[in-house]
Amino acid sequence: MMEFIARHAMGEKVSGTALVANDGFSARYDLNRWTGLFSRPAHKLVGLSYVDRILILDTAKGGVASAWMLHEMKSRHMAPKAIVFNTVNTILAQGAALGGIALLAGFDVDVTAAIAHGSIVEVDPGARMLRVLKVGDGTVAAAQSGQRTEPVVRVQGR
């Protein structure tokens, strides 16, 4: 089992399939919060669903809109389970806190190079730990495993 210690952590312990890319992340400009897909054409994860996935990315981008977008996505059950960064900014950390999304950041290695796309990982903020439970094969198919193929619209029950 591979384990990585983070310098920064918050949120609840979660596990799931990792979407991994050495790319930045802006909740506002990279995601379509209505379809649940990465939507910016230049992003390395374009077309993949981020819903209930653990995003492992290089760095946070964006401004205050990221904070309210993460909160809004979480309120509609259309959010990632966790976000893991090599480096994070205060705005996205605030957004993750507001949205109740687990966050790890700051490692001694580049986690986007150390973890294969589609791996099953555990984010344990209490221990500041990222654990690889099952190594993925690095393909999009592995990351799509068990993933919806149609856009999802979740509405709260009445």
Side-chain angles (χ1 to χ4, degrees):
M1 176 186 321
M2 290 188 290
E3 297 180 333
F4 304 90
I5 302 289
R7 288 186 286 282
H8 313 287
M10 69 176 156
E12 300 293 321
K13 184 177 176 180
V14 295
S15 62
T17 304
L19 297 183
V20 183
N22 186 350
D23 204 340
F25 175 76
S26 165
R28 180 174 183 194
Y29 295 112
D30 292 334
L31 307 180
N32 181 321
R33 67 184 193 272
W34 301 109
T35 64
L37 302 175
F38 275 85
S39 57
R40 185 170 55 88
H43 200 281
K44 293 176 181 173
L45 299 177
V46 67
L48 297 179
S49 174
Y50 60 83
V51 178
D52 294 333
R53 296 293 188 240
I54 295 176
L55 308 180
I56 300 178
L57 298 159
D58 187 41
T59 190
K61 302 183 306 184
V64 294
S66 286
W68 68 259
M69 287 193 67
L70 289 172
H71 179 266
E72 196 270 337
M73 288 178 205
K74 184 75 171 197
S75 73
R76 293 185 303 104
H77 308 283
M78 295 283 292
K81 285 184 174 178
I83 306 173
V84 177
F85 291 113
N86 284 317
T87 60
V88 68
N89 63 27
T90 55
I91 297 295
L92 201 51
Q94 291 170 351
L98 181 63
I101 298 171
L103 176 79
L104 293 177
F107 298 89
D108 290 336
V109 299
D110 178 353
V111 289
T112 66
I115 298 173
H117 196 55
S119 295
I120 305 299
V121 300
E122 178 182 79
V123 172
D124 184 355
R128 295 185 303 132
M129 181 81 66
L130 174 64
R131 295 182 184 93
V132 179
L133 305 176
K134 180 181 176 190
V135 177
D137 65 10
T139 66
V140 169
Q144 296 275 40
S145 175
Q147 181 171 313
R148 298 171 200 90
T149 55
E150 297 294 322
V152 176
V153 177
R154 293 183 178 166
V155 179
Q156 292 288 339
R158 294 182 182 183

